[in-house]
Amino acid sequence: MASNKTASASRKARIEEMRRAEQARERRNRLIAILTSAVVVVGLVGFGSYVFLQEADKKEKKEAQAKAPVKEEKTWDAKKLGNKHVTKDVSYPMTPPVGGDHSKVWMNCEGDVYKKELPKMNAVHSLEHGAVWVTYNDKASDADVKKLAEKVGKTPYSLMSPVKDQSGALMLSAWGKQVTVDSATDPRVDQFFTKYVQGPQTPEPGAACMGGLTQ
């Protein structure tokens, strides 16, 4: 009888020990889950804060670029340029032209990169719609042309083409605005795009850059 009582007490002790061990494991698992969740949350918050700060920094830089003057930029009085639709040829006082009377049909400018020279009267109409026109001549390096073509290709309301008789190797034009840059990595390239793609100089902001003329 005593032996049975001893065996029963021993089983109860083992069961109790197993129960305590199971409870300890559950507590450890809960603690691990809580700590893991906390680490994930902290990581997500940290990543979210990093992304937010990065975006805020980009926005701040763009705003600063938009406010700062473009070094060595040339400007023409928009009121004196004229912007009538005409059918006769127009002789523009600057090359490439930055405004003036023009064709009623625009060049497509949704990031279009043209390999041949464009009819200037059609390109001017694109500028009227808020496009930036990137141009180059034979003095431009292949690397610069390629890099600028990549930028234009990713930017709605922009277009690119060669202009053989322009004075600079690489030039950027918007309505009433123009600058010659040293290379595709010249910081004025990004600044010019930031300021003038659909910028405040645009006579017809939001007008179409599709459905026009294309090569």
Side-chain angles (χ1 to χ4, degrees):
M1 190 71 176
S3 177
N4 290 339
K5 288 182 179 181
T6 301
S8 178
S10 179
R11 282 197 299 272
K12 287 182 179 179
R14 286 200 300 271
I15 291 171
E16 185 62 29
E17 184 179 352
M18 291 171 64
R19 185 180 293 116
R20 287 197 297 270
E22 181 62 26
Q23 290 173 344
R25 279 196 297 271
E26 289 178 357
R27 286 194 295 272
R28 284 198 301 272
N29 289 340
R30 284 197 297 271
L31 182 59
I32 290 170
I34 291 170
L35 290 174
T36 301
S37 298
V39 169
V40 170
V41 169
V42 170
L44 289 173
V45 170
F47 179 73
S49 299
Y50 172 77
V51 171
F52 175 79
L53 291 173
Q54 287 289 96
E55 291 301 315
D57 187 52
K58 287 181 183 178
K59 183 178 180 182
E60 186 176 335
K61 285 181 179 178
K62 282 190 174 183
E63 289 175 350
Q65 284 183 329
K67 292 178 181 178
V70 179
K71 185 180 178 181
E72 298 179 353
E73 174 188 271
K74 295 180 180 179
T75 300
W76 287 263
D77 187 343
K79 294 180 180 179
K80 295 180 180 180
L81 287 173
N83 64 342
K84 295 179 181 178
H85 291 172
V86 296
T87 55
K88 64 180 182 179
D89 288 340
V90 177
S91 178
Y92 296 104
M94 75 293 287
T95 303
V98 297
D101 295 342
H102 51 268
S103 169
K104 66 179 181 180
V105 182
W106 57 89
M107 293 301 304
N108 283 347
C109 46
E110 282 292 319
D112 292 85
V113 177
Y114 299 99
K115 301 299 184 182
K116 298 179 182 179
E117 290 208 33
L118 302 179
K120 293 178 180 179
M121 292 175 61
N122 302 97
V124 168
H125 196 156
S126 300
L127 301 186
E128 186 183 37
H129 289 188
V132 163
W133 183 15
V134 178
T135 54
Y136 60 96
N137 63 19
D138 296 340
K139 296 178 182 178
S141 72
D142 291 342
D144 281 334
V145 172
K146 181 180 178 182
K147 191 171 182 65
L148 286 171
E150 290 173 352
K151 182 173 182 62
V152 169
K154 296 184 290 187
T155 309
Y157 285 95
S158 72
L159 68 164
M160 181 174 177
S161 72
V163 175
K164 188 176 181 179
D165 59 344
Q166 68 180 29
S167 59
L170 301 167
M171 299 179 72
L172 281 67
S173 303
W175 188 271
K177 307 288 183 179
Q178 191 170 82
V179 67
T180 298
V181 295
D182 299 325
S183 69
T185 58
D186 190 318
R188 290 175 295 174
V189 173
D190 285 343
Q191 184 183 11
F192 199 90
F193 271 70
T194 298
K195 287 177 73 74
Y196 299 128
V197 170
Q198 287 286 283
Q201 85 294 340
T202 304
E204 296 181 4
C209 251
M210 293 293 289
L213 186 66
T214 181
Q215 289 181 344

